[in-house]
Amino acid sequence: MSRLNVINTQRIGIRLLAALAVAALSGCGMLGSSGPSAGRVESGETAVIDSGIKVVDVSDSVARRLSESQKRLSFSEVFGSTPFKGYVVGAGDILAISIWEAPPGGLFSAAALNPGSVGGGTPATGLPDQMVNADGTINIPFAGSIPAAGKSIPQLEALVVRKLTGKAMQPQVMIRVVKNTSSNVTVVGEVSSSMQMPLTAKGERLLDALAAAGGVKQPVGKTTVQVTRGKQVQSLALDTVIQNPAQNIPLQPGDVVTALHQPLSFTALGAVSANQEIQYEAQGITLAQALARAGGLQDARANAQGVFIFRFEDPANLGGDLSAQPTTPAGKVPVVYRVDLKDPGSFFVAQGFPMRDKDVMYVANAPAAELQKFLNILSSLVFSSRGLSSLGQ
């Protein structure tokens, strides 16, 4: 290569280096990046921020307000802890009725269907099984229509005896529940076997129902339990019910217990060790836990003052005039929460800041990281220029 060519090559290299230097001084705009810098997010140099999205500095008061807004009422607060009062007859139940009379003879002696014996050999008459009618009544020969719904078994036995007194010979009555269809709890969802569990005088509780259904199919930590009682619907993480006996509430007839598998997740982006979607438990996690699950900040890249949480938030959790902010069809407003991890106090705040499903956590690159990218390119070009020069000699 002639000296003239070498000189031209060096001039081109110098011009290229100068152009790169200008680009670096203007913000390293031509260098690759994992996302916007902290300055761009804060200053609003994006079309999104220009549209009125609120940037909120995370403080102790903000974390407390968000934590309170996410707090759910417990089962004991919504449904109370009143135990099941015991079985009462209801429409659809099937009853077996046996009647004893003192000898000799009696109204039912000739029609005995299932002769038995008690002390002294007194015969018993077993009537055909009866289903409680929709109007809550049963029919007994010589006693007529008897209101059964809403009565306990001893109360119903005493009522049948009173109806037969004066007609039968010292009647005694025993009633047995063949099938309980009115005092049940329905268990559905992510359980091994959906079922209707009959309630007994024992007073079955929430975990009894899940156990009777064979347990939950999904991991306990990722399962939510929903209880529906009339128009009241409330849900809690299964972990909470297991850890707090007060939430293992007594069940009532007609309750519906639903086991729900709701995989919650957030997305970690930017200068963290793992850029990915990360799932977490139904009980929820804090920002501190989220950072740990993302592998923490990358020391060589991350701007500790540029940790951001992008979220669609309930306006009631923000306060102030939000009329200028855009809203989603669901009435949520986009908001960016900003955390400065160079402040030691922010680590306490991060332990109380709750993450929410579908949050995006972004950690911006430090300015020095962008400079280092430029220096690496500059260094490679310098050595390449030197190589070209040496080739020409």
Side-chain angles (χ1 to χ4, degrees), residues 10-11 28 48 77 81 88 118 124 131-132 150 159 171 194 201 205 218 227 233 236 247 253 260 306-307 344 359 377:
Q10 291 176 338
R11 288 176 177 174
C28 300
V48 176
E77 291 173 321
S81 55
V88 293
V118 294
M131 177 182 290
V132 180
L159 179 58
S194 298
R205 292 176 175 267
Q218 302 296 334
V227 176
V233 181
L236 276 181
Q247 306 313 316
L260 303 170
V307 179
D359 275 356
I377 295 175

Side-chain angles (χ1 to χ4, degrees), residues 89-95 129-140 144-150 156 181-182:
V89 177
D93 290 348
I94 298 177
L95 308 177
D129 292 349
Q130 287 205 49
M131 177 182 290
V132 180
N133 297 326
D135 61 1
T137 63
I138 58 174
N139 289 285
I140 303 292
S145 179
I146 296 178
L156 184 56
T181 62
S182 63

Side-chain angles (χ1 to χ4, degrees), residues 95-175:
L95 308 177
I97 303 171
S98 298
I99 301 174
W100 280 262
E101 294 182 86
L107 284 174
F108 300 95
S109 59
L113 300 178
N114 297 303
S117 64
V118 294
T122 303
T125 300
L127 301 179
D129 292 349
Q130 287 205 49
M131 177 182 290
V132 180
N133 297 326
D135 61 1
T137 63
I138 58 174
N139 289 285
I140 303 292
F142 303 106
S145 179
I146 296 178
K151 294 181 173 59
S152 67
I153 293 299
Q155 289 173 332
L156 184 56
E157 289 173 341
L159 179 58
V160 174
V161 167
R162 288 199 300 271
K163 291 285 187 177
L164 292 175
T165 298
K167 301 176 183 178
M169 300 290 291
Q170 301 178 19
Q172 299 293 317
V173 176
M174 185 178 74
I175 299 176

Side-chain angles (χ1 to χ4, degrees), residues 141-384:
F142 303 106
S145 179
I146 296 178
K151 294 181 173 59
S152 67
I153 293 299
Q155 289 173 332
L156 184 56
E157 289 173 341
L159 179 58
V160 174
V161 167
R162 288 199 300 271
K163 291 285 187 177
L164 292 175
T165 298
K167 301 176 183 178
M169 300 290 291
Q170 301 178 19
Q172 299 293 317
V173 176
M174 185 178 74
I175 299 176
R176 178 173 57 89
V177 180
V178 176
K179 185 175 182 181
N180 172 8
T181 62
S182 63
S183 295
N184 289 326
V185 169
T186 303
V187 188
V188 295
E190 294 292 326
V191 292
S192 296
S193 178
S194 298
M195 63 175 299
Q196 279 195 320
M197 183 188 74
L199 295 177
T200 68
K202 170 191 172 184
E204 283 75 11
R205 292 176 175 267
L206 179 56
L207 293 181
D208 294 326
L210 293 176
V216 296
K217 295 191 291 186
Q218 302 296 334
V220 170
K222 296 184 178 180
T223 301
T224 300
V225 180
Q226 176 180 289
V227 176
T228 304
R229 180 176 297 172
K231 294 183 179 180
Q232 292 179 309
V233 181
Q234 188 63 32
S235 60
L236 276 181
L238 180 54
D239 268 348
T240 302
V241 179
I242 294 174
Q243 294 170 10
N244 186 355
Q247 306 313 316
N248 186 24
I249 57 172
L251 297 173
Q252 301 292 336
D255 283 355
V256 178
V257 177
T258 308
L260 303 170
H261 174 53
Q262 296 177 314
L264 307 176
S265 67
F266 70 93
T267 303
L269 299 174
V272 292
S273 297
N275 277 232
Q276 61 182 341
E277 182 181 11
I278 300 174
Q279 293 190 350
Y280 61 90
E281 296 77 15
Q283 278 189 314
I285 60 174
T286 64
L287 174 58
Q289 292 172 305
L291 286 167
R293 295 192 184 191
L297 276 60
Q298 290 189 5
D299 292 342
R301 287 181 51 199
N303 180 359
Q305 293 180 304
V307 179
F308 302 95
I309 307 298
F310 293 78
R311 174 184 298 173
F312 289 102
E313 188 67 86
D314 187 337
N317 299 333
L318 297 175
D321 182 13
L322 302 176
S323 58
Q325 286 196 250
T327 60
T328 67
K332 304 289 186 179
V333 295
V335 63
V336 181
Y337 292 102
R338 175 175 49 199
V339 184
D340 179 5
L341 291 183
K342 282 193 174 181
D343 177 5
S346 65
F347 286 90
F348 293 103
V349 174
Q351 294 181 56
F353 183 88
M355 296 295 289
R356 294 210 180 138
D357 190 30
K358 309 308 179 187
D359 275 356
V360 175
M361 180 178 69
Y362 172 70
V363 179
N365 285 340
E370 301 297 336
L371 177 60
Q372 185 61 48
K373 288 182 182 180
F374 167 72
L375 293 177
N376 289 341
I377 295 175
L378 184 64
S379 176
S380 63
L381 287 172
V382 167
F383 285 113
S384 297

